[in-house]
Amino acid sequence: MHSFQIGILGATGAVGQKFIRLLQEHPWFTIKALGASERSSGKKYSEAVHWIEPIELPLEVAEIKVDDCDPSAFSGVDFVFSGLDSSVATEIERNFAEAGIPVISNAKNYRMDESVPLMIPEVNPGHADLIKTQTFSSDGSGWIVTNPNCVSVPLAMSLKPLQDEFGVSSVVVTSMQSVSGAGYPGVPSLDIIANVVPFIGGEEDKIQTESAKLLGTLGSGTVDFAKMDIQATAVRVPTIEGHLLSVSAGLLDTPSTLEDVSRAITEWESPIADLDLPSSPEKPVKLYTENRFPQPRLHTDREGGMQTAIGRLRKGTVLDIGYVTMAHNTVRGAAGGAILNAELLVAKEYIK
Amino acid sequence: MHSFQIGILGATGAVGQKFIRLLQEHPWFTIKALGASERSSGKKYSEAVHWIEPIELPLEVAEIKVDDCDPSAFSGVDFVFSGLDSSVATEIERNFAEAGIPVISNAKNYRMDESVPLMIPEVNPGHADLIKTQTFSSDGSGWIVTNPNCVSVPLAMSLKPLQDEFGVSSVVVTSMQSVSGAGYPGVPSLDIIANVVPFIGGEEDKIQTESAKLLGTLGSGTVDFAKMDIQATAVRVPTIEGHLLSVSAGLLDTPSTLEDVSRAITEWESPIADLDLPSSPEKPVKLYTENRFPQPRLHTDREGGMQTAIGRLRKGTVLDIGYVTMAHNTVRGAAGGAILNAELLVAKEYIK
Amino acid sequence: MHSFQIGILGATGAVGQKFIRLLQEHPWFTIKALGASERSSGKKYSEAVHWIEPIELPLEVAEIKVDDCDPSAFSGVDFVFSGLDSSVATEIERNFAEAGIPVISNAKNYRMDESVPLMIPEVNPGHADLIKTQTFSSDGSGWIVTNPNCVSVPLAMSLKPLQDEFGVSSVVVTSMQSVSGAGYPGVPSLDIIANVVPFIGGEEDKIQTESAKLLGTLGSGTVDFAKMDIQATAVRVPTIEGHLLSVSAGLLDTPSTLEDVSRAITEWESPIADLDLPSSPEKPVKLYTENRFPQPRLHTDREGGMQTAIGRLRKGTVLDIGYVTMAHNTVRGAAGGAILNAELLVAKEYIK
Amino acid sequence: MHSFQIGILGATGAVGQKFIRLLQEHPWFTIKALGASERSSGKKYSEAVHWIEPIELPLEVAEIKVDDCDPSAFSGVDFVFSGLDSSVATEIERNFAEAGIPVISNAKNYRMDESVPLMIPEVNPGHADLIKTQTFSSDGSGWIVTNPNCVSVPLAMSLKPLQDEFGVSSVVVTSMQSVSGAGYPGVPSLDIIANVVPFIGGEEDKIQTESAKLLGTLGSGTVDFAKMDIQATAVRVPTIEGHLLSVSAGLLDTPSTLEDVSRAITEWESPIADLDLPSSPEKPVKLYTENRFPQPRLHTDREGGMQTAIGRLRKGTVLDIGYVTMAHNTVRGAAGGAILNAELLVAKEYIK
């Protein structure tokens, strides 16, 4: 049985709290160290955090003393999860990697770095091998692996079966994103109650570039990006959890019937299915056939928030097909995605 | 000065109430008769209606006795507005037209009828002349004119300047629609609070067909539909009023710069600007340049709810451009649109 | 081990669906029969229901053929749960009781009936003995037991420790009730998004009379109602689940300190603690000390939705103390409360 | 005709923006100077502000250069409105008063100061004479007048007719407060969407003390506070504008019938009715008789947001009567209240 001591960077933020919740009874990973900003450092976690998760703060975590995000304070851990704010992640994550501590990061800072895997285990598990090209530490003991932003997850997960079967040439997507995607305090309630805000800074670029990297192929030490045009519009809607995407996609090989597309999705097999990772959903992608589904409030928690939902699959008039897709943005699209990455890296023996 | 006595069919419903609110101080039209279903017939309006508008029910309307939707009870009116439910509109509206009473309808039933104008005054005022092809009444005194569904309004309004300047070949649109679009009681709160429902029955078809008719040209007695592919996804979001659309559009003549597109919108002139109709907005289309605008809660009431908003205009990667657009679904997209149609028909002397 | 076959009356409604969800893996009770209105009768349950629960409809229930709510169709069951609408519950529930089939009902119809227990197991388990006074069936095999409305649950649960320790003389309460309390379709979204509706028909009366019965004592075959004045205001707020009550209470013996009150709550012992019923929460009442808690969205699901939360306990200026309390209205305040009643009645061998 | 040049302190905040909106076409007051924090000082207002009002930022205000909140920069104004944050208001407002510039403040800092009027024109206009006891400036030219917090407004407005007719001995109130009451960015959306937060820091104390001062009587140079016990619970609900209060009140003289109470409210005459102030509502208090009214979303804007609504009036069992009351928290309860105070002070010639 695997058993690892882990640390969490950015432990008091919304993503950090989600890590704590999801790791509460994790069979492999035990929280040993928590890092946060100076304001929190030195305090007991329960005193440093403004706890916003619905479960009670686990007692054993409540008592942990929060440290600065400095590698010297994390010497006992096997690796760290990073929920750091992008304003500080560049330097801190590099420090950890240079100090020989692997970083499984949810921050955006290194996602597009040539040598850093941007990874969804079911989509591009092989990209993990980019780790070997990293030079943060001389002995290769420290490295960085990232998971994508919360919209690219359902987008890439839903496109992957299509790419495998037909090829994907172009995508027009409107993502309707929940408020938890902006962290805490995040979106002011005055902005979003009974409202839609048609802009989320930086989001549309990330959707376009990260999806192309995720769906790309690993050549000799570098990722060849997928050649597909993605036109994205990201808006904020008053939902709590779950980003819902309206997708129109052009395919390279036109399927003869809609059933062919439907079958490509339902019969698609996850490349990591046989690894039986603890956080891996039984069914990574679920195709709903009832028109009114999937819905953020009803279905975002299915399979512990790790399942990607697809629905409303239909033929298109401008692009070949249309559908909606959804994933839990703070679980599958953030902390849960990072944890699944770590589990994959254990299985691949990058973490040992 | 014009002065007309009007009736309202479906007066107790959500659209009917909006007609009453918008006509409260109308300079030309005075409410004389109200029609509703049997359940309400014979009662004073104040007793028949479950009033949901924020203004106080106007006293002079409160006292009107509600009639059956039968032409015989409306003999004194110059024309009627119809906010009838589609389940009964086909027969009732025909009855009125056959009885020589013009019907300005918000119902969908006759919108796609060959001889019936489907009209947005700023988009296709000339379609009014279809009236002459109608045969409901032998002397031509009775006829039907319709306004489009609430999504086609901002879609057609925002596409019109582009069509005029560049031509439009294809449109991918996701409409995020407010709950008032479903009438009253409409959407159950359990379905939509903190949620998005990715389906609205019949809506996507209407968007595609109605927009093509609206943007078509009137040939010899028939409308030649606009040749553009429209791929629509209609979802319900928890907003009160204002449908916000995320639009990607392919143009026939590629504009050299985004400024050309921007200029085409801001310099576009409404063909009815010089008619000075009472409900006509000063600026039918407003282009917002601040990224976070337009928003349903903040901007849907601008110019009495009659202005169409455009924002987030930018270049696209799959289709030439992307933007968002929005209009007040129960004012501009329903009762207010019908009233403006009536005003135009007065100016054009179809109503006299 | 106990093992009972049960039926559900009103199975397609919101409460019926909650019964199905909560009984999905119940150790004692297995669903054998489902009753609904004529419209559904004869169909497979999956075809009759508009499923609104977040879990997938359990396969074994999906296949059950729905019956009329007639005792003859339920001959194989040990008892039935009733989630019937009050418009039909009076007759149907009596029919079942007369046919010798016990009814554990969530409907309001028999709650104030002299011979019918209105019961919260932790508050007045002894009231179960009222069953013996019932005369529905000649051999006593058929009877009715009810649980209170969803507001009386947290009110009575929170008052019980105070009543035991100090006595309660008067209560002023404002209950802020979630939309699920109105069933499905229930509250129109147009009425409640970004709004509060200051009235819920019939609710205030129920709070006052049911609480007095719940907190009353069983004398010789009848319940002596608690002598306390209750002044209630019931409003609807845009929350999904969880009714939050603002309570001010006058006590008979004035506690010397707030700590005395706090201790009375935290040290209160549930009279059914040692029965270890499957649906019984470990901690029936939890006192939060953080000012911002409890909150419907965060805490209503604690202990499977069966825990009553109390918070903001403080001294009052008009009445002795003030506090807020909350319970899950469709679990603890409806289906879950009924199931716990059934479990108690098994333990007491009324069901065997 | 009156004509005054005014300044606004805290001009970029939510209250400051509301001042600008409400003064846009004010017949007496013209905005000449805007003060804000260092961060904004020196910029054009349109560049300093994150505009959140639904109207377009008035052009003539957009161009004003923002100053520091220093009296020297406001020498040309007749008086200032203050929408300052309480963290800075104490010193800045004193500076202005000492410099001979009257301050009409919405901040809480001086509300309970013995010499400072805390004023609702319809409730206690006579308290204005406290100004004479102020010693900020040697010649009496500079002084401070305040309006109460946004909950005390509807509470005092609704109690005033009862106090006049019956006397009020005790009040138990639960205020359900909208998110705009917390300013901008204010309440995080993650905290309040589909939720209720049962605590608002400092609010309950303010309700109790400010209401007693408002309903007190001006003796010889000091206010004798009203002798009534007020027990308040303040919670946050997901509404945009309008605080709704559930009130139970004990009266000194018990009215014989509910109609007596109803008449006391409807026949109550505002002491400032004959002054015809520009912002004065025609009907300061409106009694709704339909159970489902008043509602924040429907009625909070009535009479420009200056009307206080009462509804659900009924007999009580613990205290004599129960009712709900509501006022627009950022208009009547903040900027609009301050403007009405200024208008009264013009009428009383304190401003001239």
Side-chain angles (χ1 to χ4, degrees):
Chain A
M1 194 50 158
H2 304 295
S3 173
F4 299 94
Q5 316 282 298
I6 66 103
I8 299 174
L9 305 180
T12 56
V15 177
Q17 294 187 38
K18 193 67 82 182
F19 273 120
I20 288 168
R21 175 180 173 184
L22 295 177
L23 291 172
Q24 192 182 7
E25 301 185 334
H26 197 279
W28 298 355
F29 305 146
T30 306
I31 301 172
K32 279 295 150 181
L34 301 171
S37 67
E38 241 175 84
R39 208 181 36 210
S40 300
S41 179
K43 295 185 189 161
K44 279 193 345 187
Y45 184 70
S46 59
E47 283 157 11
V49 73
H50 179 82
W51 186 248
I52 58 170
E53 287 290 326
I55 65 157
E56 212 149 341
L57 174 55
L59 271 185
E60 65 279 14
V61 174
E63 296 298 316
I64 295 178
K65 193 172 69 66
V66 177
D67 284 307
D68 283 332
C69 288
D70 190 285
S72 63
F74 287 72
S75 54
V77 307
D78 294 301
F79 67 93
V80 292
F81 287 112
S82 163
L84 288 169
D85 193 83
S86 60
S87 61
V88 297
T90 303
E91 194 185 337
I92 295 177
E93 296 187 355
R94 190 183 54 226
N95 290 348
F96 274 75
E98 288 177 357
I101 303 175
V103 179
I104 315 287
S105 176
N106 180 60
K108 71 176 180 190
N109 306 50
Y110 289 96
R111 285 181 193 154
M112 300 309 292
D113 187 295
E114 269 210 348
S115 70
V116 171
L118 173 65
M119 212 162 61
I120 299 175
E122 294 93 336
V123 170
N124 61 340
H127 289 206
D129 294 337
L130 272 182
I131 290 175
K132 296 173 190 159
T133 71
Q134 295 189 17
T135 57
F136 288 106
S137 62
S138 51
D139 63 352
S141 62
W143 39 260
I144 299 176
V145 165
T146 62
N147 55 283
N149 83 88
C150 41
V151 177
S152 295
V153 174
L155 187 58
M157 286 289 291
S158 63
L159 288 174
K160 182 65 179 165
L162 304 175
Q163 188 193 35
D164 287 355
E165 185 79 16
F166 311 105
V168 177
S169 55
S170 57
V171 174
V172 175
V173 56
T174 296
S175 63
M176 293 160 273
Q177 307 187 208
S178 69
V179 298
S180 60
Y184 187 88
V187 183
S189 52
L190 258 180
D191 280 348
I192 200 65
I193 288 178
N195 206 13
V196 175
V197 178
F199 180 68
I200 303 176
E203 200 77 0
E204 293 162 5
D205 276 348
K206 280 189 278 182
I207 296 170
Q208 295 170 18
T209 55
E210 294 184 12
S211 300
K213 182 171 179 181
L214 283 163
L215 294 166
T217 49
L218 184 63
S220 52
T222 56
V223 174
D224 293 324
F225 281 31
K227 303 238 173 321
M228 62 175 74
D229 293 318
I230 301 180
Q231 183 163 347
T233 306
V235 312
R236 188 74 67 192
V237 296
T239 53
I240 307 284
E241 285 165 337
H243 292 350
L244 183 78
L245 285 61
S246 165
V247 180
S248 301
L251 306 177
L252 288 174
D253 299 330
T254 305
S256 357
T257 68
L258 197 61
E259 282 64 44
D260 290 346
V261 184
S262 168
R263 204 176 313 116
I265 294 170
T266 53
E267 296 184 356
W268 176 77
E269 286 191 23
S270 159
I272 60 158
D274 55 351
L275 295 181
D276 254 339
L277 304 179
S279 304
S280 194
E282 242 178 87
K283 216 172 169 174
V285 173
K286 178 178 166 67
L287 178 65
Y288 288 83
T289 54
E290 199 164 348
N291 268 329
R292 63 189 170 120
F293 293 159
Q295 297 175 8
R297 194 171 77 68
L298 290 185
H299 307 119
T300 212
D301 275 335
R302 290 275 174 95
E303 295 230 23
M306 293 297 286
Q307 184 177 68
T308 295
I310 302 180
R312 304 250 20 242
L313 185 66
R314 59 209 194 281
K315 288 207 155 187
T317 52
V318 175
L319 299 171
D320 294 285
I321 58 166
Y323 63 87
V324 301
T325 182
M326 180 181 81
H328 194 305
N329 55 299
T330 61
V331 175
R332 182 75 221 206
I339 292 170
L340 189 58
N341 274 349
E343 293 169 2
L344 176 70
L345 294 167
V346 167
K348 283 180 174 280
E349 302 195 359
Y350 282 99
I351 295 174
K352 53 192 171 189
Chain B
M1 194 50 158
H2 304 294
S3 173
F4 299 93
Q5 316 282 299
I6 67 102
I8 299 174
L9 306 179
T12 57
V15 176
Q17 294 186 39
K18 194 67 81 182
F19 273 120
I20 288 168
R21 174 179 173 185
L22 295 177
L23 291 172
Q24 193 182 6
E25 300 185 335
H26 196 280
W28 297 356
F29 305 146
T30 306
I31 300 172
K32 278 296 149 181
L34 299 171
S37 68
E38 240 174 84
R39 208 180 36 209
S40 300
S41 179
K43 296 184 189 162
K44 280 194 344 186
Y45 184 71
S46 60
E47 284 156 10
V49 73
H50 178 84
W51 186 248
I52 59 170
E53 286 289 327
I55 66 158
E56 212 149 342
L57 175 55
L59 270 185
E60 64 280 14
V61 175
E63 296 298 316
I64 295 179
K65 192 172 69 65
V66 177
D67 283 308
D68 283 332
C69 287
D70 190 285
S72 65
F74 287 73
S75 54
V77 308
D78 294 301
F79 68 94
V80 293
F81 288 111
S82 164
L84 287 169
D85 192 84
S86 61
S87 60
V88 298
T90 303
E91 194 185 337
I92 294 176
E93 295 186 356
R94 189 183 55 224
N95 290 348
F96 274 76
E98 288 177 358
I101 303 176
V103 179
I104 315 286
S105 176
N106 180 59
K108 71 175 180 190
N109 306 50
Y110 289 95
R111 285 180 193 155
M112 300 308 294
D113 187 295
E114 269 211 347
S115 71
V116 171
L118 174 65
M119 212 163 59
I120 299 175
E122 294 93 334
V123 170
N124 61 341
H127 289 206
D129 294 338
L130 272 182
I131 289 174
K132 296 173 190 159
T133 71
Q134 296 189 16
T135 57
F136 289 105
S137 62
S138 52
D139 64 352
S141 63
W143 39 261
I144 299 175
V145 165
T146 61
N147 55 283
N149 84 88
C150 41
V151 177
S152 295
V153 174
L155 187 58
M157 286 288 291
S158 63
L159 288 174
K160 183 64 179 166
L162 304 175
Q163 188 192 37
D164 287 356
E165 184 78 16
F166 311 105
V168 176
S169 55
S170 57
V171 174
V172 175
V173 57
T174 295
S175 63
M176 293 161 275
Q177 306 187 209
S178 70
V179 298
S180 60
Y184 188 88
V187 184
S189 52
L190 258 180
D191 280 347
I192 201 64
I193 288 178
N195 207 12
V196 175
V197 178
F199 180 69
I200 303 176
E203 200 77 0
E204 293 162 5
D205 275 349
K206 280 189 278 183
I207 295 170
Q208 295 170 18
T209 55
E210 295 184 12
S211 299
K213 182 171 179 182
L214 283 162
L215 294 166
T217 50
L218 184 65
S220 54
T222 56
V223 174
D224 294 322
F225 282 31
K227 303 239 173 321
M228 61 175 74
D229 294 318
I230 300 180
Q231 184 165 346
T233 305
V235 311
R236 188 75 66 191
V237 296
T239 52
I240 307 284
E241 284 164 337
H243 291 351
L244 183 77
L245 284 60
S246 165
V247 180
S248 301
L251 307 177
L252 288 173
D253 300 330
T254 306
S256 355
T257 68
L258 197 61
E259 284 63 45
D260 290 345
V261 184
S262 168
R263 205 176 312 116
I265 293 169
T266 53
E267 295 183 357
W268 176 77
E269 285 190 25
S270 159
I272 61 158
D274 56 350
L275 295 182
D276 256 339
L277 303 179
S279 303
S280 195
E282 242 178 86
K283 216 172 169 173
V285 173
K286 177 177 167 69
L287 178 65
Y288 288 83
T289 54
E290 198 163 349
N291 268 328
R292 63 188 171 122
F293 294 158
Q295 298 175 6
R297 195 171 76 70
L298 290 184
H299 307 119
T300 213
D301 275 335
R302 291 275 174 94
E303 296 230 23
M306 293 297 285
Q307 184 178 68
T308 295
I310 301 181
R312 304 255 14 246
L313 185 66
R314 60 208 193 282
K315 288 206 155 187
T317 53
V318 175
L319 299 171
D320 294 285
I321 58 166
Y323 63 87
V324 302
T325 182
M326 182 182 80
H328 195 304
N329 56 298
T330 61
V331 176
R332 183 75 220 206
I339 292 171
L340 189 59
N341 274 349
E343 293 169 2
L344 176 70
L345 294 167
V346 168
K348 283 180 174 280
E349 301 193 0
Y350 282 99
I351 296 174
K352 56 193 171 187
Chain C
M1 195 49 159
H2 303 295
S3 172
F4 299 94
Q5 316 282 299
I6 66 102
I8 298 174
L9 305 180
T12 56
V15 176
Q17 294 186 38
K18 193 68 81 181
F19 273 121
I20 288 167
R21 174 180 173 186
L22 295 178
L23 292 171
Q24 193 182 6
E25 300 185 335
H26 196 279
W28 298 356
F29 306 146
T30 307
I31 300 172
K32 279 296 150 179
L34 300 172
S37 68
E38 240 174 85
R39 208 181 36 209
S40 300
S41 178
K43 296 183 188 161
K44 279 194 344 186
Y45 184 70
S46 60
E47 283 156 11
V49 73
H50 179 82
W51 187 249
I52 59 171
E53 287 289 326
I55 64 157
E56 212 150 340
L57 175 55
L59 271 185
E60 64 279 14
V61 174
E63 295 298 316
I64 295 179
K65 192 173 69 65
V66 177
D67 283 307
D68 283 331
C69 288
D70 190 284
S72 64
F74 287 73
S75 53
V77 308
D78 295 301
F79 67 94
V80 292
F81 287 111
S82 163
L84 287 168
D85 193 82
S86 60
S87 61
V88 298
T90 303
E91 195 185 336
I92 294 176
E93 295 187 355
R94 191 183 53 226
N95 290 349
F96 273 76
E98 288 178 356
I101 302 175
V103 179
I104 315 286
S105 176
N106 180 60
K108 71 175 181 192
N109 306 50
Y110 289 97
R111 285 181 193 155
M112 300 308 293
D113 187 296
E114 270 211 347
S115 71
V116 171
L118 173 65
M119 213 162 58
I120 298 175
E122 294 94 335
V123 170
N124 61 341
H127 289 206
D129 294 338
L130 271 182
I131 289 175
K132 296 173 189 158
T133 72
Q134 295 189 17
T135 57
F136 288 105
S137 63
S138 52
D139 64 351
S141 62
W143 39 260
I144 298 175
V145 165
T146 61
N147 55 282
N149 84 88
C150 41
V151 177
S152 295
V153 174
L155 188 58
M157 285 289 291
S158 63
L159 288 174
K160 183 64 178 167
L162 305 176
Q163 189 193 36
D164 286 356
E165 184 78 16
F166 311 105
V168 177
S169 56
S170 57
V171 174
V172 175
V173 57
T174 295
S175 63
M176 292 161 274
Q177 307 187 208
S178 71
V179 298
S180 60
Y184 187 88
V187 184
S189 52
L190 258 180
D191 280 347
I192 200 63
I193 288 178
N195 205 13
V196 176
V197 178
F199 180 67
I200 304 176
E203 200 78 0
E204 293 163 4
D205 276 349
K206 279 189 277 182
I207 296 169
Q208 295 171 18
T209 55
E210 294 184 13
S211 299
K213 183 171 179 181
L214 283 163
L215 294 166
T217 50
L218 184 65
S220 53
T222 56
V223 174
D224 293 323
F225 282 30
K227 304 237 172 321
M228 62 175 75
D229 294 318
I230 301 179
Q231 184 164 346
T233 305
V235 312
R236 187 74 66 192
V237 296
T239 53
I240 308 283
E241 285 165 337
H243 291 351
L244 183 77
L245 284 60
S246 165
V247 180
S248 301
L251 306 177
L252 287 174
D253 300 331
T254 306
S256 357
T257 68
L258 197 60
E259 282 65 42
D260 290 346
V261 184
S262 168
R263 205 175 311 117
I265 293 170
T266 53
E267 296 183 356
W268 175 78
E269 286 190 24
S270 159
I272 61 157
D274 55 351
L275 295 181
D276 256 338
L277 303 178
S279 303
S280 194
E282 242 178 86
K283 216 172 169 174
V285 173
K286 178 179 167 67
L287 178 65
Y288 288 83
T289 54
E290 199 163 349
N291 269 328
R292 63 188 170 123
F293 295 158
Q295 297 175 8
R297 196 171 75 69
L298 290 184
H299 307 119
T300 213
D301 275 335
R302 290 275 173 95
E303 296 230 21
M306 293 298 284
Q307 183 177 69
T308 295
I310 303 181
R312 302 249 22 240
L313 184 66
R314 59 208 195 282
K315 287 207 154 186
T317 53
V318 175
L319 298 171
D320 295 286
I321 58 166
Y323 64 86
V324 302
T325 183
M326 181 181 81
H328 194 303
N329 56 298
T330 61
V331 176
R332 182 74 220 208
I339 291 170
L340 189 58
N341 274 348
E343 292 169 2
L344 177 71
L345 293 167
V346 167
K348 283 181 173 280
E349 304 194 357
Y350 281 100
I351 295 174
K352 56 193 171 189
Chain D
M1 194 47 158
H2 303 293
S3 172
F4 300 93
Q5 316 281 299
I6 66 102
I8 299 174
L9 306 179
T12 56
V15 176
Q17 294 187 38
K18 193 68 80 181
F19 273 120
I20 288 168
R21 175 179 173 185
L22 295 177
L23 291 172
Q24 191 181 9
E25 300 186 335
H26 196 281
W28 298 357
F29 305 145
T30 307
I31 300 172
K32 279 295 149 182
L34 300 172
S37 67
E38 241 174 83
R39 209 181 35 210
S40 301
S41 179
K43 296 184 187 160
K44 281 194 344 187
Y45 184 71
S46 60
E47 284 157 9
V49 73
H50 179 83
W51 187 249
I52 59 170
E53 286 289 327
I55 65 157
E56 211 149 342
L57 175 55
L59 270 185
E60 65 279 14
V61 174
E63 296 297 317
I64 295 179
K65 191 171 71 65
V66 178
D67 283 308
D68 283 329
C69 288
D70 189 285
S72 64
F74 287 74
S75 54
V77 308
D78 294 300
F79 67 94
V80 293
F81 287 111
S82 164
L84 287 168
D85 192 84
S86 59
S87 61
V88 298
T90 303
E91 194 185 336
I92 295 176
E93 295 186 356
R94 191 184 52 227
N95 290 348
F96 274 76
E98 287 178 358
I101 302 175
V103 179
I104 315 286
S105 176
N106 179 60
K108 71 176 180 189
N109 306 50
Y110 289 96
R111 285 181 193 155
M112 301 307 294
D113 188 295
E114 268 210 347
S115 71
V116 171
L118 173 66
M119 213 163 59
I120 299 174
E122 294 94 334
V123 170
N124 62 342
H127 289 206
D129 294 339
L130 272 182
I131 289 174
K132 296 173 190 158
T133 71
Q134 295 188 19
T135 56
F136 289 104
S137 62
S138 52
D139 64 352
S141 62
W143 39 260
I144 299 176
V145 164
T146 62
N147 56 281
N149 84 89
C150 40
V151 177
S152 296
V153 174
L155 187 59
M157 286 289 291
S158 63
L159 288 174
K160 183 64 179 167
L162 305 175
Q163 188 192 37
D164 286 356
E165 185 78 15
F166 311 106
V168 176
S169 56
S170 57
V171 174
V172 174
V173 57
T174 295
S175 63
M176 292 160 275
Q177 306 187 209
S178 70
V179 299
S180 60
Y184 187 89
V187 183
S189 52
L190 259 180
D191 280 347
I192 200 63
I193 288 179
N195 206 12
V196 175
V197 178
F199 180 68
I200 303 176
E203 200 77 0
E204 293 162 5
D205 276 349
K206 281 190 276 183
I207 296 170
Q208 295 170 18
T209 55
E210 294 184 12
S211 299
K213 182 171 180 181
L214 283 163
L215 294 166
T217 51
L218 183 64
S220 53
T222 55
V223 174
D224 294 323
F225 281 31
K227 302 236 173 323
M228 61 175 75
D229 293 319
I230 301 180
Q231 183 164 346
T233 305
V235 311
R236 188 75 67 191
V237 296
T239 53
I240 307 284
E241 283 165 337
H243 291 350
L244 183 77
L245 284 60
S246 166
V247 180
S248 301
L251 306 177
L252 287 174
D253 300 330
T254 306
S256 355
T257 68
L258 197 61
E259 283 64 44
D260 290 345
V261 184
S262 167
R263 205 176 311 117
I265 294 169
T266 53
E267 295 183 357
W268 176 77
E269 286 190 24
S270 159
I272 61 158
D274 56 350
L275 295 181
D276 257 339
L277 303 179
S279 303
S280 195
E282 242 178 88
K283 217 173 169 173
V285 174
K286 178 177 167 69
L287 179 65
Y288 288 83
T289 54
E290 199 164 348
N291 268 329
R292 64 189 170 121
F293 294 158
Q295 298 175 7
R297 195 171 76 69
L298 290 184
H299 306 119
T300 212
D301 275 335
R302 290 274 174 95
E303 296 229 21
M306 293 298 285
Q307 185 178 68
T308 295
I310 302 181
R312 304 253 14 244
L313 186 65
R314 60 208 193 283
K315 287 207 155 186
T317 52
V318 175
L319 298 172
D320 293 287
I321 58 166
Y323 63 86
V324 301
T325 183
M326 182 181 80
H328 194 305
N329 56 298
T330 60
V331 175
R332 182 74 221 207
I339 292 170
L340 189 58
N341 274 349
E343 293 169 2
L344 176 70
L345 294 168
V346 167
K348 283 181 173 279
E349 303 194 357
Y350 282 99
I351 295 173
K352 55 193 171 187

